[in-house]
Amino acid sequence: MNKYLFVALPHTLIHILGQSSSSAALVHSFHNAEKRSRTGRHPMRKAGLGNSHRLASSSNADEAIEIQGSVSKSKSKSLTEEDHLIHQAKVFDEISDWFADRYKEVPPELLPTYQAMAKEIISSLAPSVEKSSCRILDVACGTGVLWEFLINEASKASLDLTITGVDLSPSMVAYASERAQEPSSGPNDASVHSINVVESDVISFCRNLTDSTSFDGVILNACFGNFFKPRKVLEALPGDKIYISHPLGSGFVRDLHLKDPKTVPNQLPESRLEVATLVFGLPLVLSEMSTQPYYLTTLERTRAKELAQIQRYRGFVDQGYGRGGRKLGFPTANLPASLFQSALEDVTTGVYFGWAALENRPGSIFKAVVNVGYSPTFEGEENAEKIIEAHLILDNDEDLQEFYGEALRLQLIGFLRSEQKFNSFPELVAQITSDVADAKATLNLTPFQELQNDDFLQHSDTWVGTGGGDKTASWEFSSVFDTLEAAFRKGKEQQ
């Protein structure tokens, strides 16, 4: 059910986008490309999945335009999710013949765009794949327009692809199945690739996957705006990385949504803040986002969970037990237990992460992994009270020395795991090492990275939180969304 009808139908583009000079120029270039491509070979055929290809009857183009025109003029009404799926399948069944013509599906002007998108996706996947093979799920794959581009780039990286294409349009699936049978090796190499096509809506497909089924990457190309509930789709998807893309960008999808909200009920998120809000609460974080010359947003799966409320603590570093550095190799800055008991009463024990600042070292902000709890592995020496133990993650050339007695500001924004008792100190050290690595990496990603712009960390004036305490020890819990908006705005101002 890939939404390629919105990519290269010249007259349809005029109908949808109107007669503005920019859209007219875009349509004019596509129209000329179509005329040029009626004779001669498609450039990608020389390095694609094979020399044979099927051309759809040109008479079907007028029918496709007529269908899309009627859809664009239809009045949006309240649909159930089932009605929406039926509508999507009907629309793309009726214009599938047009997309079977590869010259129209990807005119020459769009070749560099598809090549660049495929290169960016494969370059992102290759370092994270430990073996020489990679499994990709292509959601709403349509006729499989992306496959030859992905395979060409994977072949250059000596990466074997196993692609599963999913689409709910039977006609699109039929054409995609034909394409999947074409030779699947890249140009002049021994890489071997395989393609499987499944007829299904994406959520049903994902529900029927076994626990052992995994994908290295999931691609949502030119289809995100067509989903009934995009967040529900993201929640259902497997995959270590998710790529949301569109060759003509978010503005194009926005115009489609305004013209035909029945077929395109949603838009692409156009800012990092919008993406962060969309995936909040899901095990996904934003790693990369580009909007020009094409749209590509990359989400990564994480075990970290955002906190709905940011926790802020300010206090003077206590002497503590000396166990973190002496026994474990991870020195911690402890906040006085007795002064924060009322603050921690309803805080779940476990390992958190966030940002830390020392007031007498202005401008220095540190990544931090924080345990809130009783340290149960130290049997017989457990904490008598629930305490905050923060390990500041330093760069290789940083050395804080001792900072006992200094005023520490601690902002907790994410949760890694519950506190647990380990059978041995080596097991605990291994887990802490993993916690530190995950926190360090996650704090480089959106929305966690932007939250270091929180005013709480930026100012050295005496701070007293709204939750309780005084100038000696203080705290507050506040909505993450209020802070996010201000932090993103401040980050943009600093660029």
Side-chain angles (χ1 to χ4, degrees):
M1 189 190 59
N2 211 317
K3 308 304 169 289
Y4 302 122
L5 81 165
F6 302 140
V7 174
L9 284 175
H11 298 87
T12 307
L13 283 170
I14 294 176
H15 176 79
I16 293 174
L17 297 181
Q19 298 293 342
S20 68
S21 59
S22 59
S23 62
L26 177 62
V27 170
H28 178 69
S29 68
F30 280 1
H31 185 64
N32 288 341
E34 182 184 352
K35 288 192 294 184
R36 289 195 302 269
S37 66
R38 285 173 184 157
T39 59
R41 297 170 55 79
H42 192 301
M44 285 297 288
R45 296 288 78 75
K46 296 180 180 179
L49 298 176
N51 291 327
S52 64
H53 59 277
R54 175 172 179 166
L55 288 176
S57 169
S58 60
S59 63
N60 289 319
D62 292 334
E63 180 183 359
I65 293 170
E66 181 181 348
I67 292 168
Q68 176 57 25
S70 64
V71 170
S72 297
K73 294 176 183 177
S74 66
K75 293 183 179 179
S76 179
K77 63 179 181 178
S78 178
L79 295 177
T80 65
E81 191 165 359
E82 183 178 359
D83 290 337
H84 178 75
L85 293 175
I86 292 172
H87 172 71
Q88 295 287 316
K90 179 177 183 294
V91 167
F92 294 102
D93 268 348
E94 290 177 325
I95 49 79
S96 60
D97 286 348
W98 195 94
F99 289 103
D101 186 333
R102 299 187 191 178
Y103 293 125
K104 297 176 182 177
E105 189 174 46
V106 184
E109 277 78 359
L110 278 183
L111 278 174
T113 295
Y114 274 93
Q115 290 166 341
M117 283 200 313
K119 182 177 182 178
E120 191 168 345
I121 290 171
I122 294 300
S123 297
S124 169
L125 282 171
S128 62
V129 179
E130 296 180 355
K131 45 189 182 298
S132 61
S133 60
C134 181
R135 292 173 54 87
I136 289 178
L137 174 62
D138 185 8
V139 175
C141 65
T143 61
V145 66
L146 276 179
W147 298 342
E148 60 186 298
F149 299 97
L150 293 170
I151 284 175
N152 284 341
E153 293 301 326
S155 298
K156 296 174 187 177
S158 301
L159 196 63
D160 297 340
L161 293 187
T162 299
I163 299 175
T164 299
V166 178
D167 202 291
L168 58 69
S169 162
S171 297
M172 289 288 197
V173 167
Y175 282 122
S177 298
E178 289 183 13
R179 180 175 282 186
Q181 298 305 311
E182 296 174 2
S184 57
S185 61
N188 303 318
D189 74 84
S191 299
V192 177
H193 312 283
S194 62
I195 302 172
N196 181 46
V197 186
V198 179
E199 180 184 331
S200 174
D201 69 271
V202 59
I203 292 179
S204 297
F205 173 81
C206 293
R207 285 174 179 166
N208 291 325
L209 291 174
T210 63
D211 293 338
S212 60
T213 304
S214 63
F215 294 95
D216 300 296
V218 178
I219 300 174
L220 311 170
N221 181 56
C223 63
F224 196 74
N226 294 71
F227 293 132
F228 191 66
K229 295 181 179 179
R231 179 181 166 88
K232 186 176 180 180
V233 171
L234 292 175
E235 187 174 14
L237 291 176
D240 298 328
K241 293 187 176 183
I242 296 173
Y243 303 91
I244 304 170
S245 62
H246 199 292
L248 294 180
S250 59
F252 189 78
V253 178
R254 187 190 327 116
D255 289 333
L256 295 175
H257 166 72
L258 294 174
K259 292 290 184 180
D260 184 12
K262 182 179 179 182
T263 303
V264 188
N266 292 288
Q267 303 179 48
L268 290 166
E270 297 191 60
S271 69
R272 299 180 77 87
L273 177 58
E274 288 183 22
V275 176
T277 303
L278 173 67
V279 303
F280 184 86
L282 301 180
L284 298 170
V285 289
L286 171 61
S287 60
E288 299 289 342
M289 183 177 187
S290 58
T291 57
Q292 295 294 335
Y294 50 82
Y295 182 97
L296 180 59
T297 287
T298 303
L299 304 175
E300 291 188 16
R301 193 164 301 279
T302 176
R303 70 180 173 109
K305 298 178 182 179
E306 302 104 325
L307 299 182
Q309 286 191 312
I310 291 179
Q311 302 177 27
R312 298 185 181 95
Y313 303 97
R314 178 190 179 272
F316 292 88
V317 178
D318 200 7
Q319 188 69 32
Y321 297 93
R323 300 179 301 205
R326 177 167 45 86
K327 287 190 176 182
L328 304 178
F330 293 94
T332 60
N334 298 358
L335 293 180
S338 60
L339 299 181
F340 288 92
Q341 284 311 294
S342 58
L344 299 177
E345 185 176 345
D346 296 322
V347 175
T348 301
T349 59
V351 178
Y352 296 78
F353 62 91
W355 298 95
L358 293 166
E359 287 186 359
N360 69 339
R361 309 180 194 212
S364 296
I365 298 176
F366 307 95
K367 297 174 181 177
V369 179
V370 181
N371 188 76
V372 176
Y374 301 95
S375 301
T377 303
F378 292 87
E379 191 170 356
E381 300 179 30
E382 300 93 340
N383 307 330
E385 301 173 293
K386 192 186 295 184
I387 68 171
I388 301 172
E389 301 172 289
H391 171 68
L392 306 192
I393 304 173
L394 308 179
D395 293 332
N396 294 331
D397 58 347
E398 286 184 302
D399 185 6
L400 285 178
Q401 300 298 325
E402 298 289 346
F403 48 92
Y404 293 121
E406 293 190 29
L408 173 69
R409 298 190 183 203
L410 199 57
Q411 174 218 62
L412 305 189
I413 54 179
F415 184 81
L416 287 176
R417 62 177 177 86
S418 299
E419 187 178 47
Q420 64 185 101
K421 182 178 180 179
F422 292 88
N423 294 324
S424 66
F425 287 123
E427 287 185 21
L428 174 59
V429 169
Q431 183 59 61
I432 294 175
T433 301
S434 175
D435 294 338
V436 170
D438 284 352
K440 185 175 182 179
T442 303
L443 285 165
N444 287 331
L445 303 175
T446 296
F448 304 110
Q449 182 180 45
E450 286 79 4
L451 285 170
Q452 67 181 300
N453 295 317
D454 185 357
D455 284 342
F456 167 70
L457 299 167
Q458 302 286 339
H459 299 290
S460 58
D461 297 338
T462 300
W463 177 89
V464 177
T466 60
D470 52 30
K471 294 181 180 181
T472 302
S474 182
W475 61 89
E476 72 177 23
F477 303 148
S478 66
S479 168
V480 67
F481 293 108
D482 294 340
T483 306
L484 265 179
E485 187 171 356
F488 272 88
R489 185 170 57 252
K490 188 169 184 177
K492 184 174 288 188
E493 291 172 355
Q494 293 173 347
Q495 290 179 351

